[in-house]
Amino acid sequence: MPHPGVRRLKISTQVEMLYPLLKAAEQLRQLHGQVHLVIESEGIPTSLQKEIEKLLQAYGVSYEFE
């Protein structure tokens, strides 16, 4: 449970809406806290997964593919 005064924003949408979500995320950068992002997709090609992992590692982002 969040601390008093902490607010949560939960978003569920299709991957086609990633660009608008990125635009909204630009506004969220001024806040303090953490971001938890879960993407559910049927089948991620190995080549795409490797590219995503490489990018996340380059930025020092913790991630886990399940």
Side-chain angles (χ1 to χ4, degrees):
M1 180 161 221
H3 297 287
V6 172
R7 307 226 23 219
R8 285 189 175 165
L9 168 63
K10 293 183 180 183
I11 300 169
S12 294
T13 190
Q14 300 297 315
V15 293
E16 293 83 9
M17 295 301 294
L18 282 177
Y19 182 75
L21 289 176
L22 289 172
K23 297 304 284 180
E26 288 179 7
Q27 299 300 313
L28 297 172
R29 289 177 56 191
Q30 62 187 310
L31 303 176
H32 299 282
Q34 294 185 358
V35 174
H36 302 271
L37 175 64
V38 176
I39 298 174
E40 295 178 340
S41 176
E42 291 190 24
I44 298 175
T46 303
S47 59
L48 178 58
Q49 180 175 333
K50 287 181 180 181
E51 285 193 41
I52 292 169
E53 289 177 331
K54 186 177 176 181
L55 181 62
L56 294 172
Q57 289 171 0
Y59 282 99
V61 176
S62 298
Y63 67 92
E64 176 182 354
F65 277 97
E66 297 178 354

